[in-house]
Amino acid sequence: MIQEVEEKVVLIEGWARDGLSQQQIADNLGIGLSTLKKYRKKSVAIRTALKKGREVSDYHVENALYNAATGGNVQAMIFWLKNRKPSQWKDRKEAQEIELMRKELELRERKLRLEEEKLKDLKDKIFNINVNIVE
């Protein structure tokens, strides 16, 4: 059966280029998705056809996105910048930034505890002075 599928690599590449999902390609071949994945692992020809087809489509979409972004499409510009320069444009905090913020918070909490201990010691000293004066 894998040989029958390998004979259709031109079709597979074309379907991938047209943007069909692997499920849709498997359906077109009359096989299940798990079978296509198994064949993909075993066959260089099938793997290459899927990859080449996707690459062509991706290239066209990338060019269209670039043309839209450089042509003034604000949404395309935002998308481009968030993906090409995530350190400057990404909305969500990265794991490293979150870890840095957590450590900063821990340091602030530690400093606050030290300040509270100093205040408590100062209160105790003032209380002792008052007690000594009264006696």
Side-chain angles (χ1 to χ4, degrees), residues 78-133:
I78 292 168
F79 182 82
W80 181 271
L81 289 170
K82 283 183 179 183
N83 285 282
R84 293 285 294 235
K85 293 182 146 191
S87 63
Q88 294 169 297
W89 291 92
K90 212 167 213 176
D91 289 336
R92 68 177 193 263
K93 299 290 183 193
E94 295 297 325
Q96 290 176 338
E97 292 172 331
I98 292 170
E99 181 63 18
L100 184 63
M101 290 168 55
R102 186 186 64 75
K103 286 182 179 181
E104 185 178 323
L105 184 59
E106 284 176 2
L107 285 173
R108 287 181 182 182
E109 288 173 345
R110 212 176 298 154
K111 184 178 178 181
L112 182 60
R113 280 194 299 273
L114 287 171
E115 292 296 325
E116 288 172 343
E117 287 176 20
K118 285 180 185 177
L119 282 173
K120 185 180 178 286
D121 288 344
L122 188 58
K123 272 174 92 176
D124 289 345
K125 286 179 184 177
I126 291 172
F127 179 76
N128 285 335
I129 291 172
N130 287 338
V131 168
N132 289 337
I133 292 174

Side-chain angles (χ1 to χ4, degrees), residues 1-127:
M1 184 70 173
I2 193 170
Q3 290 174 336
E4 293 173 21
V5 173
E6 284 180 324
E7 291 171 1
K8 298 178 181 177
V9 290
V10 173
L11 285 173
I12 293 170
E13 184 178 333
W15 290 329
R17 183 176 36 255
D18 290 342
L20 272 66
S21 68
Q22 288 191 31
Q23 178 65 61
Q24 292 169 316
I25 292 171
D27 291 344
N28 285 352
L29 292 168
I31 59 176
L33 178 59
S34 60
T35 303
L36 178 60
K37 288 181 178 182
K38 183 172 66 174
Y39 290 173
R40 185 186 66 205
K41 287 180 184 176
K42 291 181 179 181
S43 170
V44 173
I46 294 170
R47 192 168 45 252
T48 302
L50 288 166
K51 184 179 177 189
K52 281 176 65 177
R54 278 194 323 262
E55 286 174 350
V56 170
S57 293
D58 291 347
Y59 178 75
H60 288 297
V61 171
E62 288 169 3
N63 280 337
L65 174 63
Y66 177 80
N67 289 334
T70 57
N73 181 318
V74 175
Q75 286 180 317
M77 289 174 182
I78 292 168
F79 182 82
W80 181 271
L81 289 170
K82 283 183 179 183
N83 285 282
R84 293 285 294 235
K85 293 182 146 191
S87 63
Q88 294 169 297
W89 291 92
K90 212 167 213 176
D91 289 336
R92 68 177 193 263
K93 299 290 183 193
E94 295 297 325
Q96 290 176 338
E97 292 172 331
I98 292 170
E99 181 63 18
L100 184 63
M101 290 168 55
R102 186 186 64 75
K103 286 182 179 181
E104 185 178 323
L105 184 59
E106 284 176 2
L107 285 173
R108 287 181 182 182
E109 288 173 345
R110 212 176 298 154
K111 184 178 178 181
L112 182 60
R113 280 194 299 273
L114 287 171
E115 292 296 325
E116 288 172 343
E117 287 176 20
K118 285 180 185 177
L119 282 173
K120 185 180 178 286
D121 288 344
L122 188 58
K123 272 174 92 176
D124 289 345
K125 286 179 184 177
I126 291 172
F127 179 76

